[in-house]
Amino acid sequence: METLLLWLFYISSLYAFIPGLITRLFGYRVFRRGLSDSRFALTFDDGPDPVYTPQLLDLLKRYDAKATFFVVGSNAERHLDLIKRMHEEGHLIGIHNYIHKTNWLMRPATVKKHIQKTSGIIQAVTGVKSIYYRPPWGIVNLFDFAKRGDTQIVLWSAMFSDWRVRIGADKLTKRMMRKLRGGEVFLLHDCGSTLGANRGAPGEMLVALERVLTEADRKGLKSVRIDDLIQITENAKLGKKGKPVPVDGEKVARSGPTDASRFKKILISLWLLWEKVFHQLFHVQSIHKEDSFFHFRIRPYHGDSVEMNGGAKLNNGDRIMELHFDNKKLYEIGSRSKSPVQLAIKMVRGVEKELPKLANYIANHPDLHDVKALYGVSMINRGPEQFGFTVTDLPKGWFASSSRLYLKFLLRVIHPDGGARLKQSAERLVPKLILMPIEHLVSHYMQDDSKRKMNDKPEAVPEEEPVLNASMSCP
């Protein structure tokens, strides 16, 4: 039961909850707001709809406004004429899955098929491959980040509950007027047939939108496509370093530089909160409460037999101590390191100081005398051999894939070079299994008094050789 709960926690946290939280709070690896004084973006989800989408296109044409339509593939397939009209009238067409279903409830391969199928429908009509993607309800999973090279995820900065008919045009107008300014990305809906929506709601939205477009004209604001707002934003960011680069007469916003360190601090605070929850749920302990480089928990090893240093083998069912790097210390080391070399040196010194503490801790706890090996999963795996670790590949599968994505994200946060490090050495940043027999730990790192205590332990049955498991990548 504990193993099942552990996997459910990993899956819900790594696959869904944490990516969703990070994107919604911080806009990590997605576009949700632009930098502009006079341009904003109207985006419409769930269509095309045979009743409301033609009315919307007529309205946009009257006001010379451009928009982005994130279409549901199955709807697009039934109304190819509307897809053609959107394209011919200069609007951008994005992907909203083939059916309106959350990515949290679909396997990565299924999400990929949804995107490819919808993209194919759009390309067959327009001749243009769509790369702009908005997951239903804006819910992303871990593998949506992995697809970043193929698609640009687009969320929003302003949402108005326009899918509910009871909101009404008047209240909707007031809500939209409050957000009417440069840089905003409006989320609206031109179809009311999806789960939770009301069929007549787009009619109310159209009434409110006409009022908003009239006010936008009065204020000198213009609705542009998402790709145009992204380009304007990129130019605005370049302008912070020198002279602003305008696009289509755009006056770029001049705001102060983004406080990257503040963003990281908030992100790390959330990560540490998640770490505390993890520690409590799975009884993760610390050798020293105030200053621990590692945390650990004792559990049986599950997996194929692995040969370690000196010929010892870690077998399925052996008792292990699972080690976890302290995330706070990892961040502190990374933020204070001026180069990758300095980071590596500090990591090596930290491990070097911690190994004797581990050995002594085991020696002073008789219930741990039957552990067999240190075991870890880490992307920082160049150099552990000098301590007596064996480094080997993770078995291919779900765990290896999810570990790689998790660790790449963590390394992006703690590494001095951030994302640049990942781009430069992506082929070498592969999570590895790291193992050390307890006998090696005892003989090389344990103090003399502790060695005597270990030698006094009861004789172990050969099949029950001690094991220590260290998961160096998790919280």
Side-chain angles (χ1 to χ4, degrees):
M1 178 57 73
E2 183 183 352
T3 301
L4 176 61
L5 288 174
L6 177 63
W7 275 106
L8 287 174
F9 184 85
Y10 276 143
I11 292 170
S12 63
S13 296
L14 301 182
Y15 185 70
F17 176 71
I18 291 176
L21 183 67
I22 291 169
T23 55
R24 297 299 283 272
L25 289 179
F26 307 111
Y28 175 75
R29 299 202 74 177
V30 302
F31 182 80
R32 62 171 189 162
R33 185 191 299 274
L35 290 175
S36 173
D37 284 340
S38 61
R39 301 292 189 267
F40 70 104
L42 292 172
T43 68
F44 299 92
D45 287 6
D46 301 353
D49 179 272
V51 175
Y52 295 110
T53 303
Q55 296 179 46
L56 173 58
L57 290 169
D58 290 343
L59 177 62
L60 295 172
K61 191 172 185 179
R62 285 202 304 273
Y63 284 87
D64 191 28
K66 301 305 178 186
T68 302
F69 291 84
F70 290 99
V71 300
V72 173
S74 57
N75 290 341
E77 206 167 31
R78 289 192 294 268
H79 306 291
L80 298 177
D81 57 322
L82 292 176
I83 298 297
K84 183 179 179 183
R85 183 181 170 186
M86 289 174 189
H87 176 67
E88 289 177 346
E89 294 183 4
H91 303 293
L92 182 65
I93 305 173
I95 302 163
H96 201 47
N97 281 358
Y98 182 74
I99 61 172
H100 200 277
K101 185 177 181 180
T102 174
N103 289 7
W104 281 9
L105 301 179
M106 293 192 291
R107 296 180 299 110
T110 305
V111 175
K112 184 178 180 180
K113 288 179 181 177
H114 274 247
I115 294 173
Q116 289 178 340
K117 188 172 184 179
T118 304
S119 179
I121 293 167
I122 296 169
Q123 188 171 6
V125 176
T126 66
V128 178
K129 182 179 179 181
S130 180
I131 63 167
Y132 296 93
Y133 175 57
R134 175 176 286 164
W137 293 291
I139 296 175
V140 300
N141 63 48
L142 190 64
F143 289 88
D144 289 328
F145 291 155
K147 297 190 294 287
R148 176 66 190 275
D150 302 322
T151 59
Q152 168 64 65
I153 301 174
V154 178
L155 296 185
W156 57 85
S157 62
M159 179 173 62
F160 312 101
S161 300
D162 67 306
W163 59 87
R164 296 173 181 165
V165 71
R166 65 180 176 80
I167 297 296
D170 292 342
K171 187 180 289 186
L172 190 55
T173 300
K174 291 179 182 178
R175 292 182 178 182
M176 293 170 70
M177 290 294 192
R178 285 197 293 266
K179 289 289 187 177
L180 185 58
R181 53 180 172 263
E184 296 289 345
V185 177
F186 281 24
L187 168 62
L188 298 166
H189 300 78
D190 60 329
C191 179
S193 62
T194 54
L195 181 65
N198 304 131
R199 289 192 178 275
E204 301 294 323
M205 181 274 294
L206 288 170
V207 174
L209 180 60
E210 183 164 11
R211 298 168 182 171
V212 170
L213 288 173
T214 300
E215 180 65 11
D217 275 355
R218 190 186 71 80
K219 290 184 173 181
L221 297 171
K222 187 175 182 61
S223 174
V224 297
R225 299 167 18 147
I226 277 292
D227 55 347
D228 289 334
L229 187 59
I230 290 174
Q231 185 61 58
I232 289 168
T233 301
E234 290 301 314
N235 288 342
K237 290 178 179 178
L238 289 173
K240 291 175 183 178
K241 301 177 181 179
K243 187 177 179 180
V245 183
V247 174
D248 191 25
E250 166 62 12
K251 179 184 176 184
V252 297
R254 289 176 175 83
S255 57
T258 303
D259 191 350
S261 61
R262 182 172 177 271
F263 166 78
K264 281 194 175 184
K265 286 177 182 178
I266 295 173
L267 189 59
I268 288 296
S269 296
L270 287 173
W271 216 262
L272 295 179
L273 178 62
W274 176 70
E275 181 181 53
K276 288 181 180 179
V277 174
F278 180 91
H279 286 188
Q280 292 204 358
L281 283 176
F282 300 104
H283 310 293
V284 177
Q285 305 173 54
S286 301
I287 297 173
H288 302 287
K289 290 184 179 180
E290 300 300 324
D291 185 32
S292 285
F293 195 71
F294 289 125
H295 305 287
F296 71 89
R297 75 185 188 108
I298 306 298
R299 69 171 183 85
Y301 168 71
H302 299 292
D304 297 333
S305 296
V306 182
E307 186 170 340
M308 300 179 290
N309 186 29
K313 279 194 174 182
L314 178 63
N315 298 311
N316 188 51
D318 286 335
R319 198 164 177 244
I320 59 173
M321 177 184 275
E322 181 181 271
L323 293 183
H324 302 265
F325 275 134
D326 184 271
N327 280 345
K328 185 176 181 180
K329 283 195 174 295
L330 283 179
Y331 174 63
E332 289 174 350
I333 290 172
S335 61
R336 294 172 182 172
S337 299
K338 296 181 180 180
S339 68
V341 173
Q342 195 174 72
L343 172 62
I345 291 171
K346 289 182 178 181
M347 292 291 293
V348 166
R349 287 177 179 171
V351 173
E352 196 171 33
K353 290 180 180 179
E354 199 72 8
L355 289 177
K357 296 177 184 178
L358 280 173
N360 294 336
Y361 185 87
I362 293 170
N364 287 293
H365 289 75
D367 58 326
L368 301 181
H369 288 176
D370 62 343
V371 293
K372 188 175 183 179
L374 292 171
Y375 168 94
V377 179
S378 177
M379 201 170 280
I380 307 172
N381 48 50
R382 299 179 65 188
E385 293 93 342
Q386 63 183 297
F387 298 112
F389 285 102
T390 298
V391 180
T392 185
D393 293 331
L394 277 172
K396 292 183 179 179
W398 158 257
F399 181 72
S401 300
S402 59
S403 295
R404 182 170 186 172
L405 288 171
Y406 172 90
L407 292 172
K408 286 179 77 170
F409 172 77
L410 184 59
L411 194 60
R412 179 182 290 272
V413 174
I414 67 170
H415 202 281
D417 291 344
R421 167 64 170 160
L422 299 179
K423 292 177 183 178
Q424 292 170 1
S425 306
E427 74 284 352
R428 292 189 292 176
L429 295 175
V430 178
K432 298 281 188 177
L433 213 57
I434 301 176
L435 307 161
M436 180 194 291
I438 278 297
E439 293 302 326
H440 183 89
L441 183 70
V442 170
S443 61
H444 287 76
Y445 298 101
M446 197 171 286
Q447 297 174 358
D448 291 340
D449 290 344
S450 297
K451 285 183 182 180
R452 283 195 290 270
K453 290 181 182 179
M454 287 292 289
N455 291 333
D456 291 339
K457 67 181 180 180
E459 185 177 351
V461 179
E463 289 79 11
E464 300 292 333
E465 290 186 44
V467 183
L468 181 62
N469 176 357
S471 179
M472 296 184 178
S473 62
C474 301

